[in-house]
Structure formats: C-alpha cells, structure tokens
Amino acid sequence: MSWRGISLSVLVIFVVLCSAKIAHAHASMNLRNSSSNSSDTDTHQNYTQFLLTNGVARTPPMGWNSWNHFQCNIDEWTVKTTADALISTGLAALGYKYINIDDCWAEGKRDWRGNLREKPSTFPSGIKALADYVHAKGLKLGIYSDAGGEENPAKWASRYGNAWRTTTDIKDNWESITSIADENNIWGRYAGPGRWNDPDMLEVGNGGMSLEEYRSHFSIWAIMKAPLLIGCDIRSASRETLRILGNKEVIDVNQDPLGVQARKIRSKAGLEVWAGPLSSRRVVIVLWNRSKYRAPISVGWREVGLSPSNPVSVRDLWAHSFISKSIRSRLTAHVAPHACKMYILTSI
C-alpha cells in the first residue's frame, strides 16, 4: 500500500472492534458447541446487528494519536505524559478522551499463542499497565491493530465499525489538507451517528502551516464531522495551538447530535462555501478562501435551506460573537488567503 498500511480511525474504534470480535467468537463457539441448527448466516446477522446497535461513537471520536508527530518514536513514557497533558491543558474536559498508540508499539512476531506482543524496550510495563494508567485518568486507550480504509469503505464499513479512513495519509501542508477535504467530501452522505468518515488525524500544531491555515484545517474537519484526533505534541503545544484545538464553539459543531456531515455547496476560483444542518434547526457554514488573495465570499440563505425573507442571527465561531442578530437574504465576508470564516445561522 502507498499508505503506512493502517487505517488510523481503526484506533478509535479498537475497543468496539475487539468487543465485536469477541462477540463474534462467542457466537461462533456457541454455534459449534450446540446442537442448534442455526446457520452461519444467522450468526453473521446477529454480529451485524450487534455492531449497528452498539451505542458507540454517536458523535465523532475525539482524542490524540501518536503518528503525525512521533511516528515510530513512541514509548510508554510519551503516552503517559501525553495523557497527563490532555488533563492539564483542559482538552480532556472538552471531549478529547482517546489516547491512541499508532504503529511501532508491537514486536514483529506474535507469541506462540498468536497474541500480539508489545516491545519490551519501549513499553516495558506492558500495555495493560499503560491502559490502567490512562483509564485511571478517565481517558480511553486506543491501539494500532490492523489495516483498512481502502476500497471505498464508506460504502460498506458501517456494518463492521464506527469510523473508517476515506483518504490518503495526511501531511502537514496546505496542499494535503485541501485535497483530503475534497476526497472526504465525496462520501458525506454515508456519515451519521455511529458511522463517521475519517480524513486522517489533525496536523494542527506540527509547524508546517500558518495559524490561519490550521484554523481552516480545524474548521473543515469539524464541519465534516471527522474524528478530531490531535496529531501534535500536546505537552509542548503553543497557546495559539491550544486555542485552536480548544475552541469549544467549533467542537460543539463537530459533536452536534444531528450528526450530518457538512458538504461543499459551491466553489469558484478557490472561493468556497461549505454548509450543513445542525440540531435545533440551525445551519453551520464555512466561507473558505483557498486562493492566494483576500476576497469577498457570499452565501445566500436559499443556498443553505433558509428562507431569504426571514431574519437570521449570525454567530462567528472564531470571534465568539454575533455579527448580527437580524440579517436577511445573504451574508458576505472578506476572507484572507488560506483563511476561513465559520458561522452558525439561526432563523429568527
């Protein structure tokens, strides 16, 4: 594969998949050990039903993943201190609950029973002890286990898990996040509560883009209802990085219970309008300037499903203020290059 060989979103649903596999194993054993005439088809249907009603990830998972910043330079001390940092920065209180260990934690060969083994050089206390440490802080541990995210998983993966990779691996540059946003946009109709398109982890704070570009990155991932998995070193993150990752108003859009992935509704010369419905009959929009020049971007109420004759309140999620509580017909904003404006519209 051209990727690192893993669907990173598998990490956040590791517990779900493990539970599902255990359930499947028990179902298979019961099938073999009983005198029942139930068919393999019945067992598969029961397994599928379990997954569809597991109650997991009703909103997109949030947390941290080791790969983007550390890649294979990962060990148990890094994981523990990152868990500590999630708590001390206040990010955990905002919903970032998963601590996900990506590739390179395991030995290349399994033990004689076929079990995966952690590397004693980097995880000397073992994964159970590490999980106990993370759980004691009220967090959850995810772990790299298997490959996936290929062959258009958005079309079929909801029968087996709660999130799936839809794109190539992300890189910490503008070209990567814009192309990945476009890739993920294609699959919007397949997302919803308990089933999420994952365009890969966040690069916010890794240093390859400007603050405006990182705000755009975070805004688009949030409205696409992507899993918000931090990919930087939280322990040394700047105040600016923490302000982006900790924008509660933007996070609330991502975690909105309606669970509808926003879509690109218009694009011309690098000037884009993305929009999607929220609960309580609200609409979220992002006016995204992917061009090299400052430019006005407009959106009409009719384009986003609102009546042009009704007044609309407009909340700026990055300025944390209302720009108006009674705008009719349309909105225009001047947007800096590679920046965005993010608003919630509420019909009055």
Side-chain angles (χ1 to χ4, degrees):
M1 291 191 295
S2 60
W3 305 355
R4 5 178 233 286
I6 185 69
S7 168
L8 298 175
S9 61
V10 168
L11 298 173
V12 297
I13 57 170
F14 176 75
V15 176
V16 180
L17 292 177
C18 284
S19 299
K21 289 174 182 175
I22 291 169
H24 193 197
H26 285 319
S28 298
M29 284 191 293
N30 290 340
L31 184 68
R32 288 192 297 268
N33 295 336
S34 71
S35 58
S36 169
N37 293 323
S38 299
S39 66
D40 288 342
T41 300
D42 291 336
T43 302
H44 176 75
Q45 288 174 342
N46 291 336
Y47 174 50
T48 302
Q49 183 64 26
F50 168 81
L51 289 163
L52 291 175
T53 60
N54 62 18
V56 173
R58 302 306 295 172
T59 59
M62 296 173 60
W64 171 86
N65 184 285
S66 62
W67 183 263
N68 283 3
H69 187 85
F70 295 96
Q71 298 190 0
C72 280
N73 299 312
I74 189 68
D75 56 38
E76 68 177 49
W77 181 82
T78 301
V79 176
K80 287 181 176 181
T81 53
T82 297
D84 296 340
L86 266 187
I87 302 294
S88 64
T89 58
L91 291 171
L94 291 171
Y96 293 97
K97 296 295 189 183
Y98 283 95
I99 295 287
N100 295 333
I101 310 170
D102 206 283
D103 200 3
C104 305
W105 66 272
E107 292 284 15
K109 293 183 179 180
R110 297 175 182 243
D111 67 17
W112 66 276
R113 293 177 177 171
N115 298 316
L116 292 169
R117 299 180 296 152
E118 68 276 354
K119 291 180 178 178
S121 59
T122 50
F123 293 89
S125 302
I127 297 300
K128 183 185 184 303
L130 182 57
D132 289 344
Y133 184 91
V134 170
H135 292 164
K137 294 184 174 294
L139 304 174
K140 300 176 182 180
L141 186 71
I143 197 165
Y144 172 112
S145 61
D146 198 1
E150 290 187 328
E151 299 177 350
N152 301 330
K155 292 183 175 180
W156 50 265
S158 64
R159 291 173 291 173
Y160 307 103
N162 297 98
W164 44 83
R165 279 284 300 280
T166 54
T167 70
T168 53
D169 282 354
I170 197 169
K171 295 182 174 62
D172 188 17
N173 61 61
W174 180 249
E175 292 72 22
S176 177
I177 67 157
T178 53
S179 64
I180 281 179
D182 291 341
E183 286 182 66
N184 195 60
N185 182 57
I186 296 169
W187 307 109
R189 67 184 180 276
Y190 295 98
R195 54 186 197 278
W196 308 108
N197 294 318
D198 179 7
D200 211 355
M201 293 95 61
L202 295 163
E203 290 284 4
V204 176
N206 278 328
M209 290 183 276
S210 69
L211 287 176
E212 289 285 16
E213 289 170 337
Y214 281 140
R215 273 190 284 269
S216 292
H217 173 25
F218 192 67
S219 298
I220 293 296
W221 260 236
I223 66 167
M224 289 195 300
K225 303 300 190 292
L228 296 181
L229 298 176
I230 299 169
C232 69
D233 187 348
I234 303 169
R235 304 168 303 174
S236 59
S238 68
R239 285 193 296 269
E240 292 81 5
T241 292
L242 292 176
R243 275 197 289 267
I244 293 172
L245 297 172
N247 187 327
K248 187 177 184 305
E249 293 194 73
V250 175
I251 290 170
D252 286 347
V253 167
N254 179 261
Q255 298 291 296
D256 184 77
L258 190 63
V260 176
Q261 178 174 326
R263 310 286 292 280
K264 185 192 301 191
I265 64 171
R266 177 156 45 85
S267 178
K268 184 177 182 181
L271 306 179
E272 299 187 349
V273 177
W274 294 63
L278 298 175
S279 59
S280 301
R281 304 178 71 178
R282 299 167 299 151
V283 175
V284 62
I285 62 170
V286 170
L287 308 181
W288 194 12
N289 184 356
R290 287 163 59 162
S291 78
K292 297 179 180 179
Y293 308 100
R294 182 179 177 85
I297 305 177
S298 297
V299 60
W301 293 169
R302 197 182 300 278
E303 291 181 271
V304 296
L306 298 175
S307 170
S309 61
N310 287 347
V312 170
S313 71
V314 181
R315 174 81 175 178
D316 186 324
L317 303 191
W318 286 106
H320 304 295
S321 63
F322 287 96
I323 65 169
S324 175
K325 292 192 175 181
S326 182
I327 295 181
R328 296 179 187 271
S329 184
R330 65 191 303 100
L331 171 68
T332 300
H334 288 79
V335 187
H338 293 192
C340 75
K341 299 287 187 179
M342 187 173 187
Y343 304 110
I344 287 181
L345 311 179
T346 306
S347 186
I348 298 173

